[in-house]
Amino acid sequence: MMPERDNLIVQLTFDFALCIIQFTQQLEDKRRFVIANQLLKSGTAIGANVREAQSAESRADFTHKCKVAAKEAEETEYWLLLCHHSVGYGDTNELRAKLLSIRKVLSKIISSSRAV
């Protein structure tokens, strides 16, 4: 099932997870299993937490789940930076740009949900 097209953060994180799956497959093809596994977990967890937030029981629960997604984004950025600065891990510029967009939207969602 595809995410709702009218929910920006759900769509951004779903599309990002698909890109992460593809990138980590390339890493596995190069036998970079440990980094691939870590990146796959954190990169797909962003969207999983955002998706879970859509069914939050309260505003506080929603905010908490978005904060968890933001933490997963931070971890994902770490793994992508390691790949970027390591020889033979491939180009991560596009993924990092997509992640930056996600982090900005999440930050806005979190700050907006606190303000109410």
Side-chain angles (χ1 to χ4, degrees), residues 47-63:
N49 282 288
V50 165
R51 184 70 182 252
E52 191 175 340
Q54 305 311 301
S55 299
E57 296 175 8
S58 65
R59 181 175 303 280
D61 187 36
F62 174 81
T63 304

Side-chain angles (χ1 to χ4, degrees), residues 9-28:
I9 193 61
V10 171
Q11 189 62 51
L12 285 174
T13 57
F14 186 84
D15 292 343
F16 182 76
L18 292 175
C19 291
I20 285 292
I21 290 168
Q22 188 174 34
F23 183 74
T24 56
Q25 183 61 55
Q26 293 170 11
L27 290 178
E28 288 178 356

Side-chain angles (χ1 to χ4, degrees), residues 33-85:
F33 300 113
V34 174
I35 298 291
N37 188 43
Q38 293 292 331
L39 186 54
L40 182 63
K41 287 179 184 179
S42 65
T44 57
I46 302 166
N49 282 288
V50 165
R51 184 70 182 252
E52 191 175 340
Q54 305 311 301
S55 299
E57 296 175 8
S58 65
R59 181 175 303 280
D61 187 36
F62 174 81
T63 304
H64 174 72
K65 287 174 177 29
C66 287
K67 285 181 181 178
V68 172
K71 287 181 180 183
E72 294 291 347
E74 287 289 332
E75 181 180 344
T76 301
E77 182 180 37
Y78 175 77
W79 297 119
L80 288 173
L81 284 170
L82 280 179
C83 291
H84 178 74
H85 291 285

